[in-house]
Amino acid sequence: MLNATLKSLLSRKLRLVLSGLAVVLAVMFVSGSMVIKDTLNRSIDAQFNGAYADIDLHVALKPKVAADTGETAVVSPLDAAAVARVAKAADVAGAKGLVLAEGARVLGKDGKLVKDTGGPRYGESWRGESKLITLRSGHEPRTDTEVAVNAGLAEKAGLKAGDPISVLTAEPKQTFTVAGVFGYSGDRDSIGGEQTVAFSEPAAQRLMLGRADAFSGIKVDVASGASVAAVQKSLSAELGADFEVLTGEGLAKKASDKSRGVLDLMNQLLLGFAGVAVLVGVFLIVNTFSIIIAQRMRELALLRALGASRGQMITSVLVESFVVGLVSSALGLAAGIGIGVLGADLLAGATDGLKVGSLAVPASAVVTSFAVGILVTMLAALFPAVRASKVPPIAVIRAAGVPDGKHRKQTWTGSVLLGLGVVLLALGLFGSSGVATILSGVLLAFVGVALLTPLFSGPSVQVLGAAFSRSLPGQLGRRNSARNPRRTAITASAMMIGVALVTAISTVAASSETSVTKDIRRDLKADYVAMGEAGSAASSTIDPAALKRIAEVPGVKAVAAAMLDTGTVGKESQALTSWQDWDQAREVLGIQDSKGSLAAPAPGTVVMNASTAKTRGVKVGDSLTLQLQRGDARTYEVAGIFKDSSLANSVVVPWADAATGFRGTQPSQAYFQLDDGDRAASARPEIEKLLADSPEVTVKTKEEVIEMFSGGMAMILTVVQGLLGVAMLIAVLGIINTLALSILERTKEMGTLRAIGLSRGQTIRMVMSESVVISLFGAVLGIVVGGVLGLAVAHAMKDQGVSELSLPWGQMLAYLIGAGIVGVIASIAPARRGARLNVLTAISHG
């Protein structure tokens, strides 16, 4: 039985290779993501391991607010008393206060920020030369007006010893003299692409920590012979839970973990592509084995007649699928390793100072690759295998195979899943359930539609094929695509899944963009806005003195300055805003009254938008405890709740509290309203000139603000197009496979058609019409399903600011055209093969 199985497999190499390509793609993405992650993890660890080699222990206060992705935790300063306390602890040979914090941004000779090199921008106190740090030119900072910079930053900014350098810190721009340039052990210009400016200790304390006699951490030298671990434990117990005591290795791990944000994102994207490839590949494999088994009915019936049991028949098909999965997994793993090498080099190239170490192929990548490839293939082949076992021995004397059947179980299962999905969607949209219920409903409805596809594939392809029915080849292609509804449905499902996925995401993105655009155009009364490229980035700073001068410019009616930050309510992150003049802010942002008082927040009170109040479960008069970046947690009374506004959806705290509790003390954004709108064009150059020393912000018009928000959506859609590309690639393989096997199945029929006058060109057009109809059916179904589900998810996001529902009509049309092109491409090889059939051989086939 095994020999028969292997010979049968080898006789159908091309067909199985096509189905195996889907597995290769899935395994390639899975293994590639793991190889990239492991290789770069080792490279990043190697960069940081030596950076803290001279530190036995490091003591610091835990941050008040944990940093969100892309943010930096604010350092809680230590005083000299804390350094003295640590120095007196048992088995401590010495303790030295250090200053090291993010936020020293260097301006280039053009007045713009020096380009980010992939790592943080540090400001620190000069620590002296050591095994790690060596001066390459010049000398250490000797006064508060001198600095030293690392070689990576010096090269980027074109700096050398003796040059002037402008730096933005917690204070507005200040100019220093570059006293020296330093490098790191191993002839490194930077560690992980960081940019470091080393000040004198007093200057570092003032500029980076905001006060004199303050330190970000304490370097602890453990006494000779004492255990580092034991001292770490005793210091942790003595200092209490507010302190963090780490070894040098722990500091290195903490620093390297922070550098893995882009890596983790890349890994998630690759795994997303892998998920799509696996999901779509299942349909391709099911279809391939179903057609192969249908064509082998006589062979299988003969085996049954010779004594093969049902179990042996199932085992035979599963062995075939195992071999396909095994070979495909090996090829996918090899391709994934190649993707890993290329991806690691590309990501490292985007981060100055990061050198890729030796290639790392973790055991988990190998195990996962073969587990995914083999299990997916065998599971997909299980249902065709069970169907093969039902072939009766009497079929050996019949030319026809077992009929396709009505598949009532599949129809009932699909109906139940679709019904459950609709119920969950209704509960999520109109009940008290949340987004999780809606997403569960989306998943169940999606699977239900996929199972029900054969039910309406016949009528659907008849309608879609009407456009091709003006010619005889088109009519034949239309009828062929409707001949086997189940096969057509499974083939089209590959296209349907991919198109539905990207249509749903595109619909959510389009609804979000439409909502933001409408809100900004309706509410924003300012003529110009000064903000960072990220829109709400709290790291951008504006010189307050410049805003005062702008307010005095003739024609400027109002200047509303804001500080943005993040705090916590309990353990949950919360966006915070503070306005220097709340009344002007309400005017330029079009904020309308809703409930309570919307006067400027008095001490001990806050106001917030309606969605935030709903999320926090508070109403006017309730109390809310906020933990700001600095200081202790504070309890506020909710004084007012205003209607949602795209530019002000947050908790608004008093300006005085923001000045002492936010991460910075300078405004992050500013809104300018003019007396006469006709002066807008002439006022812009004057405003930009006065903001020249605040290079992190750009002056934008209302339309440019809208365009900036739309750019974020464009990035999401770029990723979506990648997912669609993967799905369409596998869909091409599926259609090629189906058509190739279908032509083989209809060899005698096609020979007869050729014999009665169908030309080669007409044969090609017939097969092409069939392919395009199947592809369009999958695309239309995907657009309908994806659009409906995308609108449901967008409706559920109304608390996140999605107030308008919108369909991406242009993109959906592009998906439809793309599906038609895919159908044409997929038909080329099978159509040429069908056209080249020898008429006499084809007629005598079977």
Side-chain angles (χ1 to χ4, degrees):
M1 191 67 189
L2 180 61
N3 289 334
T5 299
L6 294 178
K7 287 181 179 179
S8 175
L9 177 64
L10 292 174
S11 67
R12 297 171 176 83
K13 295 184 288 291
L14 180 60
R15 308 174 197 176
L16 296 176
V17 164
L18 289 173
S19 61
L21 284 176
V23 181
V24 170
L25 288 174
V27 172
M28 179 183 72
F29 286 120
V30 171
S31 58
S33 65
M34 290 184 171
V35 170
I36 289 175
K37 186 173 183 178
D38 205 62
T39 299
L40 290 185
N41 276 347
R42 295 188 185 188
S43 302
I44 291 172
D45 289 342
Q47 291 279 5
F48 286 101
N49 280 340
Y52 303 97
D54 60 337
I55 295 179
D56 292 333
L57 291 174
H58 181 270
V59 177
L61 280 168
K62 293 180 180 177
K64 299 288 186 179
V65 177
D68 286 340
T69 303
E71 290 187 346
T72 303
V74 174
V75 172
S76 298
L78 295 162
D79 55 24
V83 179
R85 181 184 176 188
V86 171
K88 294 177 182 178
D91 293 324
V92 172
K96 177 179 174 57
L98 304 175
V99 178
L100 176 67
E102 290 192 44
R105 293 96 67 202
V106 174
L107 305 183
K109 296 178 180 178
D110 58 356
K112 303 296 183 181
L113 284 179
V114 174
K115 185 180 178 182
D116 183 5
T117 50
R121 294 181 167 106
Y122 286 127
E124 67 173 6
S125 57
W126 175 252
R127 290 181 281 171
E129 293 188 87
S130 63
K131 292 181 179 179
L132 175 66
I133 298 174
T134 306
L135 279 168
R136 295 185 181 176
S137 63
H139 58 81
E140 74 280 357
R142 294 170 181 165
T143 68
D144 291 353
T145 61
E146 292 183 334
V147 298
V149 298
N150 70 331
L153 173 57
E155 182 180 355
K156 275 288 180 187
L159 296 170
K160 62 182 183 301
D163 286 350
I165 179 174
S166 296
V167 185
L168 296 172
T169 57
E171 297 185 7
K173 184 184 80 171
Q174 295 188 28
T175 301
F176 303 85
T177 299
V178 177
V181 176
F182 61 90
Y184 300 95
S185 59
D187 198 32
R188 291 175 292 174
D189 293 340
S190 69
I191 299 177
E194 46 74 48
Q195 297 179 5
T196 298
V197 180
F199 304 89
S200 65
E201 186 173 281
Q205 291 172 327
R206 174 173 53 86
L207 297 174
M208 303 310 302
L209 301 180
R211 67 184 227 202
D213 194 30
F215 303 97
S216 60
I218 304 171
K219 178 180 179 292
V220 180
D221 294 325
V222 175
S224 178
S227 167
V228 172
V231 176
Q232 179 187 21
K233 184 176 180 180
S234 64
L235 268 178
S236 297
E238 180 180 344
L239 296 174
D242 291 338
F243 287 80
E244 183 178 58
V245 183
L246 295 175
T247 63
E249 291 83 358
L251 276 178
K253 183 179 184 304
K254 186 176 180 180
S256 60
D257 287 345
K258 187 176 178 181
S259 300
R260 294 190 175 110
V262 176
L263 174 60
D264 290 339
L265 177 61
M266 182 70 174
N267 190 56
Q268 291 170 11
L269 290 177
L270 287 173
L271 290 178
F273 292 155
V276 172
V278 169
L279 184 60
V280 178
V282 166
F283 287 90
L284 193 158
I285 297 166
V286 168
N287 208 24
T288 299
F289 277 91
S290 296
I291 297 174
I292 290 175
I293 287 170
Q295 294 174 351
R296 292 169 55 198
M297 286 300 177
R298 282 189 172 183
E299 174 189 329
L300 297 173
L302 179 60
L303 292 173
R304 289 295 309 278
L306 293 175
S309 66
R310 291 189 61 180
Q312 287 177 312
M313 301 298 295
I314 293 175
T315 302
S316 173
V317 177
L318 291 181
V319 167
E320 289 188 23
S321 65
F322 173 80
V323 174
V324 172
L326 181 66
V327 174
S328 300
S329 298
L331 294 175
L333 176 60
I337 292 173
I339 290 290
V341 173
L342 179 61
D345 286 337
L346 289 175
L347 285 175
T351 304
D352 290 359
L354 179 60
K355 298 179 180 179
V356 179
S358 59
L359 176 66
V361 183
S364 58
V366 179
V367 173
T368 303
S369 295
F370 283 99
V372 169
I374 294 173
L375 288 178
V376 166
T377 309
M378 293 185 71
L379 287 174
L382 181 60
F383 293 106
V386 172
R387 186 164 179 254
S389 70
K390 297 179 181 180
V391 177
I394 193 65
V396 72
I397 62 174
R398 295 204 303 258
V402 176
D404 186 60
K406 297 186 180 298
H407 302 282
R408 293 178 180 175
K409 290 182 179 179
Q410 179 176 325
T411 301
W412 276 106
T413 302
S415 300
V416 170
L417 292 178
L418 179 59
L420 288 174
V422 171
V423 170
L424 290 177
L425 281 172
L427 289 174
L429 294 174
F430 307 108
S432 58
S433 302
V435 177
T437 302
I438 291 178
L439 293 178
S440 299
V442 167
L443 179 61
L444 288 176
F446 191 81
V447 176
V449 170
L451 292 175
L452 290 174
T453 304
L455 199 62
F456 45 86
S457 63
S460 298
V461 296
Q462 288 284 4
V463 173
L464 290 172
F468 302 93
S469 298
R470 295 181 180 179
S471 64
L472 177 62
Q475 292 178 19
L476 293 173
R478 173 189 182 187
R479 292 176 182 177
N480 287 334
S481 60
R483 175 183 298 184
N484 192 323
R486 183 171 180 272
R487 182 185 300 174
T488 297
I490 294 177
T491 304
S493 292
M495 180 67 71
M496 184 269 287
I497 291 171
V499 173
L501 177 63
V502 296
T503 300
I505 298 175
S506 299
T507 299
V508 173
S511 299
S512 300
E513 183 176 350
T514 301
S515 301
V516 171
T517 300
K518 182 178 179 180
D519 288 350
I520 293 176
R521 285 187 174 145
R522 180 193 63 214
D523 298 335
L524 184 59
K525 310 303 180 184
D527 294 283
Y528 291 112
V529 182
M531 59 171 57
E533 291 304 316
S536 61
S539 58
S540 301
T541 59
I542 303 176
D543 186 353
L547 295 180
K548 288 183 179 180
R549 291 194 292 271
I550 292 173
E552 297 171 356
V553 172
V556 174
K557 177 181 178 181
V559 177
M563 284 194 286
L564 310 180
D565 208 346
T566 304
T568 56
V569 177
K571 294 184 178 179
E572 297 181 357
S573 179
Q574 174 61 56
L576 304 174
T577 309
S578 186
W579 295 88
Q580 189 172 19
D581 189 325
W582 173 241
D583 292 332
Q584 287 185 345
R586 289 177 54 201
E587 173 67 23
V588 299
L589 296 180
I591 295 176
Q592 303 175 18
D593 291 358
S594 182
K595 297 178 181 179
S597 170
L598 286 184
T605 67
V606 295
V607 295
M608 65 186 69
N609 65 300
S611 294
T612 298
K614 181 179 179 181
T615 300
R616 297 299 172 202
V618 296
K619 58 185 182 299
V620 174
D622 287 350
S623 295
L624 187 73
T625 301
L626 288 176
Q627 174 62 66
L628 307 184
Q629 296 283 355
R630 293 183 285 163
D632 297 327
R634 312 178 192 188
T635 300
Y636 294 89
E637 180 185 342
V638 179
I641 298 173
F642 55 87
K643 292 182 180 179
D644 290 339
S645 171
S646 294
L647 295 171
N649 287 342
S650 62
V651 173
V652 180
V653 302
W655 185 259
D657 291 353
T660 59
F662 278 20
R663 68 179 62 228
T665 57
Q666 301 175 69
S668 309
Q669 293 181 353
Y671 295 75
F672 310 107
Q673 189 174 18
L674 306 182
D675 284 325
D676 183 357
D678 293 337
R679 278 184 43 81
S682 60
R684 182 171 186 171
E686 196 167 355
I687 293 174
E688 290 176 334
K689 180 180 179 180
L690 290 172
L691 290 176
D693 287 341
S694 302
E696 293 173 298
V697 298
T698 304
V699 178
K700 302 178 185 294
T701 63
K702 182 185 296 188
E703 291 303 316
E704 288 171 340
V705 171
I706 292 172
E707 185 179 344
M708 181 189 68
F709 280 101
S710 300
M713 300 300 174
M715 292 179 62
I716 296 175
L717 292 178
T718 299
V719 176
V720 168
Q721 307 312 324
L723 291 172
L724 178 62
V726 173
M728 282 195 164
L729 177 58
I730 299 178
V732 168
L733 299 176
I735 296 172
I736 290 174
N737 212 7
T738 298
L739 291 177
L741 297 174
S742 180
I743 288 172
L744 183 62
E745 188 179 70
R746 306 196 319 254
T747 299
K748 188 170 184 176
E749 172 190 321
M750 295 188 72
T752 303
L753 289 172
R754 291 292 312 282
I756 62 176
L758 194 70
S759 67
R760 286 190 173 186
Q762 289 176 315
T763 302
I764 291 175
R765 291 197 297 276
M766 177 185 71
V767 177
M768 190 173 292
S769 299
E770 180 180 353
S771 175
V772 171
V773 167
I774 293 174
S775 186
L776 288 176
F777 168 59
V780 170
L781 185 60
I783 288 173
V784 172
V785 173
V788 171
L789 297 182
L791 289 174
V793 173
H795 180 76
M797 295 173 63
K798 55 185 177 182
D799 288 344
Q800 284 74 45
V802 181
S803 58
E804 300 290 327
L805 299 181
S806 178
L807 288 170
W809 296 108
Q811 292 166 28
M812 291 192 298
L813 178 61
Y815 299 155
L816 200 61
I817 294 174
I821 295 173
V822 164
V824 173
I825 294 173
S827 69
I828 293 175
R832 292 181 63 187
R833 183 181 179 189
R836 292 177 178 179
L837 285 175
N838 183 283
V839 176
L840 295 178
T841 303
I843 292 176
S844 62
H845 181 78

